[in-house]
Amino acid sequence: MIGFYDSDDQQRLRSVIDRAIEDGYADIDELHLRTANGEERVVEGNAELVENDDDSTLLRGVIHDITARKERQRELTRTYDLMTNMETLADAGAWEYDPESETLTLT
């Protein structure tokens, strides 16, 4: 399983597993993996120790694919940076009006 993760993230995943075993629970921050069919994905999740009815202990983990969310965040950042650069180059600004507070903000 660990072999699916980028080499840089494999040690971080091992640390998460160790922490979950020691503390009973650990969050899995952003990790990068390659699926069996070669797709690159970004995931996050958690791992926890679970006791079975026969008193054995199991480490259970759940990951969530956050690839699309990360792509949207990158696009939003790129768009913001582009707009900021356009304002600077054009020596222009923008304004925003909040009708609830009746506040006008100029940039």
Side-chain angles (χ1 to χ4, degrees):
M1 171 188 91
I2 290 179
F4 284 106
Y5 291 86
D6 285 354
S7 57
D8 294 340
D9 289 342
Q10 289 180 12
Q11 185 55 47
R12 289 181 45 224
L13 181 57
R14 285 185 180 96
S15 295
V16 166
I17 292 168
D18 291 344
R19 195 167 54 250
I21 291 170
E22 184 177 314
D23 299 339
Y25 180 87
D27 286 320
I28 301 170
D29 293 328
E30 185 178 310
L31 296 173
H32 300 84
L33 64 81
R34 186 172 300 276
T35 64
N37 64 358
E39 294 180 46
E40 292 183 28
R41 295 285 173 208
V42 183
V43 298
E44 66 181 9
N46 60 55
E48 67 179 329
L49 281 179
V50 178
E51 283 193 35
N52 292 322
D53 292 337
D54 63 0
D55 290 329
S56 63
T57 304
L58 172 72
L59 180 63
R60 181 180 303 156
V62 176
I63 59 171
H64 306 277
D65 185 346
I66 61 169
T67 306
R69 183 177 84 196
K70 297 304 290 181
E71 289 170 358
R72 286 190 306 271
Q73 286 174 336
R74 277 192 295 275
E75 182 62 25
L76 182 60
T77 299
R78 189 189 74 75
T79 301
Y80 176 81
D81 291 344
L82 179 62
M83 294 299 292
T84 301
N85 288 336
M86 286 175 43
E87 281 184 6
T88 301
L89 290 172
D91 194 24
W95 59 270
E96 181 178 298
Y97 179 71
D98 181 353
E100 288 184 21
S101 66
E102 296 183 353
T103 305
L104 179 66
T105 305
L106 303 173
T107 61

